Amino acid sequence: MRLEWIDDILAVLDGGSLARAAEKRLLTQSAFTRRVRIIEDSIGATLFDRRRKPITLMPGVRALEPDLRDLSARLHKLRHSMKTASDQTAKSLGFVCQHALTTSVSPQVVLALSEAGQTSTRVRSGNQDECLMHLISKEVDFAIMYALSDDDTHDPGKAFETVTLGTDTLIPVATPNGRDTVDLMLLPTISYPSEVFLGQVFARKISPRLPEGTTVSVIAETALTLAMLQLALTGIGIAWLPQSLVQDHLSNGRLVRLDDVLPSQTLVIRMVRLSEAQPDHAEKVWQHLTDQFQLLTKRE
């Protein structure tokens, strides 16, 4: 039993005649009459009483009206749900952010995608190596990661295409009490492991620029910037965190900057994808994000 046949039968019930049903179904009366005969032939039963003028449904079919209306409503709903699911699958898109960028940048990306009509977006988080592995395995369409503008060490290579979305700054922060009691000779810090990207940035770009005679005392170590932020808020030590992540805490005075006495480091935010032909939808998304973020950078 096809949904169109059920709707044809209901059109006769509602209109009271084949002529009115044909008008409701946007068909000529002759075309609708042929469809009526096809329905009867396919089911193998007489549905319409042709002894009456105008032609109407047999009493037994009329008795099935509640079932027919319920079935029509459920099938229309099912068809709509299947179409919606298909459209969302076709437009499904995923990206991965470096841990430090998940909180600050991914909401902006999802908002930009939503405004562009993207209906389904999967967001993942990982360290830099994990981001690249997600790309290589094609689990995501693109990645958003930090880089150093003058550093080739973390260049993803020719297998990847990159575009710059903006910049951030890795700045030293502490609670107001922590700043008042800071001892540059013995610096209590919350540190990154040496194997993660920000740990390497600290070792290569920040540590050599610390005030002469400074000794770093590691109070705690974590690879997660959000965990480091919470540790910094307890006042146990100084943390180097992306400015985008701590801006609200700086504004409300829970944290203060120490880059007047300790070094900071500019970071580049890059969007990365595989250097190969992309589906039309993924290509449009890439270009839209590139345009949106570059426009935002110019405004800033």
Side-chain angles (χ1 to χ4, degrees), residues 37-57:
R37 292 196 176 278
I38 290 173
I39 295 172
E40 290 181 317
D41 291 343
S42 298
I43 295 175
T46 301
L47 304 179
F48 297 86
D49 188 352
R50 292 174 174 79
R51 297 170 299 179
R52 298 187 179 186
K53 299 295 182 182
I55 293 174
T56 187
L57 287 162

Side-chain angles (χ1 to χ4, degrees), residues 57-290:
L57 287 162
M58 299 292 284
V61 179
R62 282 183 172 277
L64 295 174
E65 180 179 353
D67 292 334
L68 289 169
R69 291 195 185 280
D70 177 65
L71 184 57
S72 174
R74 287 191 290 117
L75 287 175
H76 275 288
K77 182 178 179 180
L78 179 61
R79 184 159 70 177
H80 175 74
S81 297
M82 293 177 70
K83 183 178 185 304
T84 301
S86 176
D87 289 345
Q88 288 182 342
T89 299
K91 288 189 173 184
S92 178
L93 181 141
F95 69 95
V96 60
C97 276
Q98 196 169 338
H99 288 310
L101 289 162
T102 304
T103 301
S104 57
V105 173
S106 66
Q108 299 178 55
V109 174
V110 173
L111 177 61
L113 293 175
S114 177
E115 291 174 344
Q118 177 64 37
T119 57
S120 177
T121 305
R122 304 183 312 277
V123 184
R124 296 191 178 191
S125 179
N127 61 39
Q128 194 168 86
D129 290 339
E130 289 170 339
C131 290
L132 292 176
M133 288 306 299
H134 283 310
L135 272 179
I136 292 170
S137 61
K138 297 187 178 181
E139 297 174 52
V140 296
D141 296 276
F142 60 89
I144 298 177
M145 303 183 296
Y146 280 126
L148 297 172
S149 60
D150 59 348
D151 182 21
D152 295 331
T153 305
H154 296 93
D155 189 336
K158 294 182 179 179
F160 302 93
E161 179 183 354
T162 67
V163 63
T164 297
L165 299 183
T167 60
D168 204 345
T169 308
L170 196 64
I171 59 174
V173 295
T175 59
N177 288 340
R179 179 185 176 91
D180 293 340
T181 59
V182 66
D183 181 357
L184 294 181
M185 300 306 294
L186 185 62
L187 202 63
T189 64
I190 307 162
S191 299
Y192 299 99
S194 59
E195 66 271 15
V196 303
F197 174 75
L198 291 180
Q200 295 167 18
V201 171
F202 182 86
R204 295 177 51 227
K205 297 293 185 177
I206 292 176
S207 182
R209 293 159 49 210
L210 289 172
E212 187 175 353
T214 298
T215 299
V216 172
S217 174
V218 178
I219 306 300
E221 182 179 274
T222 178
L224 300 176
T225 50
L226 285 177
M228 182 174 288
L229 171 59
Q230 294 305 313
L231 289 169
L233 288 168
T234 67
I236 65 171
I238 299 166
W240 270 261
L241 285 162
Q243 183 175 342
S244 60
L245 185 63
V246 299
Q247 188 58 55
D248 287 345
H249 297 287
L250 295 173
S251 298
N252 63 30
R254 296 187 69 192
L255 293 174
V256 294
R257 302 175 64 138
L258 300 177
D259 51 344
D260 57 333
V261 293
L262 294 170
S264 61
Q265 177 61 45
T266 300
L267 301 171
V268 176
I269 302 172
R270 297 190 305 190
M271 186 166 63
V272 185
R273 68 175 176 178
L274 293 173
S275 293
E276 58 183 41
Q278 303 289 330
D280 288 344
H281 178 63
E283 185 64 40
K284 289 178 181 178
V285 165
W286 175 269
Q287 191 56 56
H288 176 75
L289 289 176
T290 300

